[in-house]
């Protein structure tokens, strides 16, 4: 759980980064801003990220940081400014754009759990029964980007969808951007779950 001050701070930082990475939309902020600000990153308590404001808290303080560290420290330049793994490093600008927008669909997809039994058993949020389609998180986030006039490149589009896909059998064709986005999301899930276990 985080307090209202932290929720507002995360939202302000997120909006500032949207502007920095040229993926800000007035229309999106006006129509969906409050929902995004208060959205949950996950459905269940044991995920470590099912609480009001957790979506942006996780995106800003976990996902973007881990992905940046992977991209720059593992694949970036060494102490002599020589690229260590030039074929593995992703474009950092595109990486941040994808991570800032990839989970915005959760603002529409997740609603507070009203079933008392489920609440007591850790199911804090539920899927929104009022949605007309069964799009997954990545593709719904892409739809919202299109709806609000945020342009995505072909690579960004593919990377936004990577969290929706099952394991790919031909991994040598996956772009570094997709792989880093996928790895960062997986590592964040592990980090949040282990943090939850440590606290309980």
């Amino acid at each position: 759980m985080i307090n209202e001050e932290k929720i507002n701070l995360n939202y302000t930082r997120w909006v500032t980064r949207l502007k920095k990475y040229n993926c800000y939309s007035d229309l999106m902020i006006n129509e969906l801003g409050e929902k995004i600000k208060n959205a949950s990153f996950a459905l269940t308590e044991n995920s470590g990220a099912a609480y009001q404001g957790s979506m942006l808290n996780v995106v800003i303080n976990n996902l973007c940081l881990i992905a940046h560290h992977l991209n720059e420290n593992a694949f970036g330049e060494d102490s002599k400014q020589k690229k260590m793994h030039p074929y593995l490093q992703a474009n950092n600008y595109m990486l941040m754009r994808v991570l800032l927008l990839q989970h915005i669909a959760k603002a529409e997809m997740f609603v507070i759990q009203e079933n008392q039994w489920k609440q007591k058993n850790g199911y804090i949020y539920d899927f929104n029964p009022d949605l007309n389609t069964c799009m997954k998180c990545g593709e719904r986030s892409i739809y919202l980007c299109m709806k609000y006039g945020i342009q995505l490149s072909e690579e960004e589009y593919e990377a936004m969808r990577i969290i929706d896909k099952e394991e790919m059998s031909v991994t040598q064709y996956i772009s570094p951007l997709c792989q880093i986005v996928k790895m960062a999301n997986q590592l964040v899930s592990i980090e949040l779950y282990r943090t939850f276990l440590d606290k309980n």
Side-chain angles (χ1 to χ4, degrees), residues 82-197:
K82 181 182 176 186
K83 286 197 180 276
M84 293 182 286
H85 301 282
Y87 300 110
L88 297 180
Q89 191 175 33
N91 178 300
N92 195 61
Y93 183 81
M94 289 196 292
L95 180 61
M96 289 301 120
R97 282 169 53 92
V98 169
L99 296 174
L100 290 169
L101 295 168
Q102 189 174 44
H103 294 274
I104 59 172
K106 291 175 180 177
E108 291 187 338
M109 292 174 70
F110 297 168
V111 292
I112 295 287
Q113 178 63 253
E114 294 186 4
N115 181 301
Q116 294 295 315
W117 181 88
K118 287 185 177 181
Q119 272 187 11
K120 287 177 185 175
N121 286 278
Y123 296 92
I124 310 302
Y125 289 85
D126 203 349
F127 287 107
N128 186 350
D130 297 328
L131 293 177
N132 295 324
T133 63
C134 59
M135 286 188 283
K136 294 182 179 180
C137 182
E139 59 188 350
R140 182 171 288 280
S141 293
I142 291 167
Y143 163 74
L144 290 173
C145 287
M146 289 169 48
K147 178 179 176 181
Y148 294 117
I150 299 168
Q151 299 291 318
L152 299 172
S153 70
E154 185 177 355
E155 259 190 282
E156 289 167 344
Y157 179 96
E158 183 186 31
M160 291 273 283
R161 286 198 61 232
I162 200 69
I163 57 170
D164 298 341
K165 296 181 178 181
E166 298 299 320
E167 287 297 318
M168 298 175 73
S169 58
V170 189
T171 55
Q172 68 263 34
Y173 296 111
I174 192 171
S175 73
L177 178 63
C178 283
Q179 190 61 47
I180 292 170
V181 166
K182 188 169 188 173
M183 285 170 57
N185 274 281
Q186 290 169 335
L187 290 170
V188 164
S189 292
I190 294 168
E191 181 179 42
L192 294 172
Y193 177 67
R194 291 185 176 182
T195 302
F196 169 79
L197 290 180

Side-chain angles (χ1 to χ4, degrees), residues 61-76 84 89 92 95-96 99 180 184 187 191:
N61 300 304
N62 299 84
L63 197 54
C64 286
L65 281 177
I66 286 174
H68 178 76
H69 289 311
L70 275 173
N71 197 40
E72 294 301 315
N73 298 336
F75 308 130
M84 293 182 286
Q89 191 175 33
N92 195 61
L95 180 61
M96 289 301 120
L99 296 174
I180 292 170
L187 290 170
E191 181 179 42

Side-chain angles (χ1 to χ4, degrees), residues 40-53:
S40 177
F41 187 81
L43 295 169
T44 60
E45 186 177 30
N46 67 2
S47 69
Y51 55 86
Q52 183 182 358

